[in-house]
């Protein structure tokens, strides 16, 4: 059967059609960008007959057609270091020449006997009767067909093949959080261009159309636009393992590490993980091991996934998505696929230690990975010490959150025995975030005592580091997670003081908390907030002209206004609504041209 992804209505229909088989390969790599080019090279160097499919007419993806021609962070070692040395830099700059890098990929693949098809779109996945992925359907300049493979590597960066094959994916539907996006201008002589002034959903053709129209108007005096939208967050698979920020902060090791990533939490927006709801990410760089299982989509055989689509929590991706690391784990994926073809084993059954030995030999990973084991579960003594050491800086918070069930009894005891008010509040705050009401009275008293709002946070894309919630915001969210309706009056009292001059994070906190408490008394207050001048009407219908937003001086504040309206409308709808106001706003956003907003609004309406 041929399964096609359908953007707006979940899984598309399984349809049957006759297509010619255009060839059979050991490995087919879909996407010739940051992960796909290295994947093809890795497979070819290990003897696999390999085909690389790319819809553009150049290779390299973000690092060439996307204009990101220098590294922000990343662990520059192994395959990446080899490639960088071969390409070199533009004299007097930290940048590589985008044409040189794309050409290096092409020559290296052809030197190894690999096939490259450009101007090719993949439009479906071919599954055998057992559900194993056996190839992909392609539209070429010479007509459509099927290419068959022992293994497929999805390097689309958007899990397009995984989604078509029926893999479970992580989208931005439930939590309206996505990293900012840009489409950069192209000027003769420029090498590096990086922007962040919109949201864009790579899965939504309407959104992509709007992005190019807006970008063309915004940079209408430039020579041209880049060919790739610089999305930093896309659809991701749910893999055999999902990397979380806790794994990163706790330096978790694995028996199947195939890459060591390095970056800081350059979040280009706000974070949503419980860890960052209490303590925002800092500016320091960290290392993170990446297990092979994060490239394997759960429930799908014959497929590996690379790049922004690997299996990680959205707030872990700033550490995992740097170009040097995507290049290195892409190379590892190619080697793994070649090993599967040679051994006639499934991708899940390859000799992982043999793969690691090769990666150690070329410098991709340190030798310790050969003997590493999973460092979880954390010892009880480590957990107890972490609870005891929670302080104003929330040291060891990631350890506590790594084992919440075991931590709860320790936190309850710590709250009961705490002598200082600030200690008692800290433990009550922590318990509330875990949905435990033991310290409810302490937390409620702290929120009631704060008569004025503290300094909050408005949306910021480029250059966003640190917390995106204030202390009051965090405590209000913790009250909401407890779900005790006695918190309603205190939260509503704070909500009634909000105006358009207040920061977005306060609206987000109130909306989340009231949605979780679910008391209908909140609906009237939320409706009054939405009636304030400037609070609503920020949707952009599909048929509207995106060019009118091209010259906005502060695109961050435009996103602040849109997000504020959506959070309030969702909370109003979930608290019972008033005269259909919440539903009406959400229905407008369902018809919005921005795919991120449309999908979230649709999800809220379906899950009140």
């Amino acid at each position: 059967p041929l399964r096609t992804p359908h953007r707006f209505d979940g899984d598309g229909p399984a349809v049957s059609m006759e297509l010619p088989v255009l060839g059979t390969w050991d490995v087919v790599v879909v996407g010739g960008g940051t992960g796909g080019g290295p994947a093809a090279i890795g497979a070819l160097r290990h003897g696999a007959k390999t085909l690389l499919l790319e819809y553009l007419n150049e290779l390299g993806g973000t690092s060439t057609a996307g204009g990101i021609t220098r590294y922000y962070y990343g662990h520059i070692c192994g395959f990446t270091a080899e490639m960088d040395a071969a390409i070199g830099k533009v004299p007097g700059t930290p940048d590589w020449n985008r044409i040189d890098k794309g050409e290096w990929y092409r020559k290296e693949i052809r030197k190894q006997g690999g096939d490259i098809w450009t101007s090719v779109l993949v439009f479906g996945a071919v599954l055998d009767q057992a559900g194993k992925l056996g190839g992909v359907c392609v539209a070429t300049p010479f007509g459509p067909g099927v290419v068959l493979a022992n293994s497929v590597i999805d390097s689309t960066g958007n899990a397009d093949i995984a989604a078509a094959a029926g893999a479970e994916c992580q989208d931005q539907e439930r939590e309206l959080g996505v990293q900012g996006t840009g489409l950069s201008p192209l000027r003769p002589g420029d090498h590096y261009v990086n922007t962040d002034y919109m949201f864009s959903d790579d899965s939504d053709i309407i959104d992509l159309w709007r992005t190019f129209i807006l970008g063309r108007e915004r940079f209408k005096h430039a020579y041209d636009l880049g060919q790739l939208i610089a999305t930093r967050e896309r659809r991701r698979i749910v893999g055999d393992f999902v990397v979380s920020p806790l794994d990163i902060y706790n330096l978790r090791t694995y028996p199947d590490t195939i890459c060591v990533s390095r970056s800081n939490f350059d979040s280009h927006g706000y974070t949503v993980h419980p860890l960052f709801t209490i303590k925002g990410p800092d500016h320091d760089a960290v290392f993170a091991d990446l297990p092979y299982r994060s490239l394997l989509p759960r429930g799908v055989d014959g497929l590996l996934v690379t790049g922004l689509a690997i299996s990680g929590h959205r707030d872990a991706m700033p550490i995992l998505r740097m170009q040097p690391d995507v290049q290195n784990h892409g190379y590892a994926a190619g080697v793994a696929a070649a090993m599967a073809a040679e051994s006639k084993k499934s991708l899940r059954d390859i000799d992982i230690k043999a793969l690691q030995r090769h990666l150690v030999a070329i410098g991709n990973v340190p030798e310790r990975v050969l003997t590493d084991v999973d460092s979880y579960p954390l010892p009880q003594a480590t957990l107890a010490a972490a609870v005891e050491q929670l302080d104003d800086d929330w040291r060891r918070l990631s350890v506590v959150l790594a084992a919440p069930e075991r931590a709860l009894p320790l936190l309850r005891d710590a709250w009961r025995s705490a002598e200082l008010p600030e200690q008692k509040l800290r433990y009550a705050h922590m318990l509330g975030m875990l949905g435990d009401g033991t310290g409810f009275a302490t937390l409620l008293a702290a929120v009631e005592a704060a008569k004025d709002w503290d300094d909050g946070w408005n949306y910021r894309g480029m250059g966003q580091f640190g917390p995106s919630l204030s202390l009051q915001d965090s405590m209000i969210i913790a009250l909401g997670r407890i779900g005790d309706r006695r918190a309603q009056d205190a939260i509503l009292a704070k909500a009634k003081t909000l105006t358009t001059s207040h920061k977005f994070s306060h609206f987000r906190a109130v909306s989340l908390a009231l949605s979780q408490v679910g008391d209908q008394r909140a609906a009237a207050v939320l409706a009054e907030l939405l009636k304030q001048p400037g609070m609503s009407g920020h949707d952009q219908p599909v048929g509207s002209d995106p060019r009118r937003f091209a010259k906005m001086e502060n695109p961050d504040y435009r996103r602040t206004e849109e997000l504020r309206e959506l959070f309030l409308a969702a909370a109003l709808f979930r608290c019972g609504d008033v005269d259909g106001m919440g539903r009406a706003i959400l229905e407008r956003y369902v018809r919005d041209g921005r795919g991120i907003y449309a999908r979230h609004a649709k999800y809220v309406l379906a899950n009140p």
Side-chain angles (χ1 to χ4, degrees):
L2 166 65
R3 294 180 63 89
T4 55
H6 191 282
R7 173 60 190 81
F8 294 105
D9 293 313
D11 292 335
V15 298
S16 297
M17 64 176 69
E18 291 187 0
L19 292 172
V21 175
L22 304 180
T24 301
W25 285 262
D26 295 326
V27 179
V28 169
V29 182
V30 183
T34 312
I41 293 169
L44 286 161
R45 288 182 179 179
H46 286 75
K49 181 184 177 185
T50 302
L51 169 65
L52 177 63
L53 303 171
E54 170 57 48
Y55 86 96
L56 295 177
N57 288 307
E58 62 180 301
L59 303 181
T62 297
S63 66
T64 57
I68 308 300
T69 56
R70 71 178 68 146
Y71 298 138
Y72 171 64
Y73 261 114
H75 193 195
I76 302 172
C77 60
F79 174 81
T80 286
E82 172 204 341
M83 179 171 59
D84 290 354
I87 296 168
K89 304 290 186 186
V90 176
T93 78
D95 307 324
W96 55 80
N97 183 293
R98 62 181 73 180
I99 296 175
D100 289 347
K101 186 163 186 174
E103 182 63 2
W104 184 86
Y105 276 129
R106 188 192 69 80
K107 287 182 176 179
E108 192 67 20
I109 292 168
R110 294 297 296 139
K111 181 175 71 177
Q112 303 289 335
D115 295 313
I116 303 171
W117 293 2
T118 57
S119 300
V120 171
L121 284 171
V122 176
F123 63 88
V126 179
L127 308 176
D128 65 19
Q129 296 303 316
K132 178 184 181 295
L133 183 65
V136 293
C137 302
V138 296
T140 79
F142 309 102
V146 169
V147 294
L148 301 178
N150 182 74
S151 298
V152 175
I153 299 177
D154 181 344
S155 291
T156 63
N158 195 47
D160 288 333
I161 309 308
E168 181 183 357
C169 293
Q170 306 173 65
D171 283 306
Q172 295 83 27
E173 295 172 346
R174 299 187 181 187
E175 293 179 305
L176 185 58
V178 64
Q179 295 189 42
T181 301
L183 179 59
S184 299
L186 180 63
R187 301 180 179 92
D190 282 356
H191 299 285
Y192 175 82
V193 187
N194 196 6
T195 57
D196 179 346
Y197 56 89
M198 66 176 86
F199 296 135
S200 190
D201 182 349
D202 290 68
S203 305
D204 186 340
I205 191 62
I206 293 174
D207 204 343
L208 297 184
W209 164 78
R210 290 178 61 85
T211 298
F212 273 93
I213 295 296
L214 191 155
R216 180 69 65 188
E217 179 67 18
R218 186 177 181 88
F219 301 113
K220 61 184 178 182
H221 299 299
Y223 169 74
D224 202 351
L225 288 179
Q227 296 184 75
L228 288 176
I229 300 169
T231 39
R232 298 171 174 89
E233 179 178 352
R234 302 176 189 162
R235 177 170 53 196
R236 302 177 305 283
I237 61 167
V238 176
D240 289 356
F241 185 87
V242 182
V243 180
S244 83
L246 300 176
D247 300 322
I248 294 171
Y249 270 114
N250 291 333
L251 304 177
R252 186 171 182 176
T253 58
Y254 314 95
D256 58 336
T257 294
I258 48 90
C259 180
V260 178
S261 301
R262 175 178 179 266
S263 187
N264 60 12
F265 285 93
D266 180 20
S267 56
H268 283 266
Y270 57 87
T271 49
V272 302
H273 192 276
L275 172 67
F276 299 139
T277 305
I278 300 174
K279 175 181 171 56
D282 54 38
H283 210 146
D284 296 337
V286 295
F287 287 92
D289 286 7
L290 179 69
Y292 177 65
R293 287 164 291 161
S294 292
L295 278 60
L296 291 164
R298 187 183 301 168
V300 176
D301 293 324
L303 180 64
L304 288 167
V305 178
T306 72
L308 294 184
I310 62 173
S311 180
H313 186 279
R314 68 170 301 271
D315 290 339
M317 292 309 295
I319 306 300
L320 305 177
R321 67 173 174 82
M322 294 295 109
Q323 287 188 62
D325 306 320
V326 173
Q327 289 162 177
N328 279 344
H329 81 234
Y331 174 86
V335 176
M339 291 173 62
E342 182 180 16
S343 64
K344 295 181 171 52
K345 292 183 177 180
S346 75
L347 290 168
R348 285 179 169 81
D349 293 328
I350 64 166
D351 185 344
I352 192 68
K353 291 303 172 186
L355 172 60
Q356 289 175 320
R357 284 194 293 272
H358 169 68
L359 297 176
V360 169
I362 67 169
N364 265 34
V365 292
E367 191 171 0
R368 65 166 173 82
V369 306
L370 298 174
T371 54
D372 276 346
V373 296
D374 195 334
S375 53
Y376 277 25
L378 298 175
Q380 188 67 17
T382 300
L383 188 60
V387 170
E388 185 178 345
Q389 292 167 9
L390 283 179
D391 57 15
D392 288 341
D393 290 330
W394 294 102
R395 286 186 306 152
R396 312 295 300 280
L397 175 62
S398 61
V399 174
V400 177
L401 288 174
E405 296 83 4
R406 289 191 289 142
L408 276 172
L410 300 173
L411 289 166
R412 293 184 192 114
D413 289 343
W415 174 80
R416 293 187 184 102
S417 61
E419 297 179 356
L420 298 176
E422 58 269 25
Q423 291 177 326
K424 210 167 189 68
L425 177 58
R426 192 178 308 124
Y427 289 117
H429 189 177
M430 182 76 241
L431 285 162
M433 279 298 181
L434 294 175
D436 187 282
T438 301
F440 173 79
T442 303
L443 192 58
L444 179 62
V447 171
E448 290 176 332
K451 301 304 180 185
D452 298 318
W453 283 101
D454 53 3
D455 189 23
W457 179 87
N458 272 340
Y459 185 89
R460 182 179 181 184
M462 191 72 77
Q464 166 58 27
F465 298 95
S468 52
L469 292 167
S470 71
L471 177 59
Q472 283 188 46
D473 296 332
S474 182
M475 290 193 296
I476 286 171
I477 291 173
L479 277 178
R481 289 187 177 173
I482 294 171
D484 191 321
R485 293 198 172 191
R486 291 177 295 167
Q488 184 89 332
D489 290 341
I491 299 172
L492 289 178
K494 299 291 291 184
K496 289 176 181 178
T497 67
L498 290 172
T499 68
T500 53
S501 64
H502 284 91
K503 298 291 182 66
F504 161 68
S505 65
H506 301 327
F507 290 92
R508 179 181 168 220
V510 164
S511 298
L512 290 173
L514 293 176
S515 294
Q516 290 169 317
V517 174
D519 193 322
Q520 290 189 353
R521 291 179 298 153
V525 175
L526 291 164
E528 288 303 314
L529 287 175
L530 282 163
K531 290 177 183 177
Q532 290 184 25
M535 201 71 81
S536 60
H538 302 293
D539 58 300
Q540 298 178 26
V542 168
S544 63
D545 188 344
R547 290 176 295 182
R548 63 192 177 102
F549 302 101
K551 293 301 180 183
M552 294 196 70
E553 295 297 325
N554 188 350
D556 281 349
Y557 192 70
R558 172 170 53 80
R559 288 181 283 192
T560 288
E561 293 176 316
E562 296 158 356
L563 290 165
R564 182 180 63 199
E565 180 181 10
L566 261 171
F567 269 98
L568 288 173
L572 173 58
F573 178 71
R574 285 171 166 160
C575 289
D577 217 341
V578 173
D579 298 328
M581 178 189 292
R583 174 180 287 277
I585 293 173
L586 291 169
E587 287 177 345
R588 289 205 308 271
Y589 274 98
V590 167
R591 299 186 294 273
D592 196 284
R594 282 79 55 88
I596 302 298
Y597 292 161
R599 283 194 291 135
H600 178 69
K602 188 174 183 179
Y603 175 83
V604 174
L605 288 169
N607 298 273

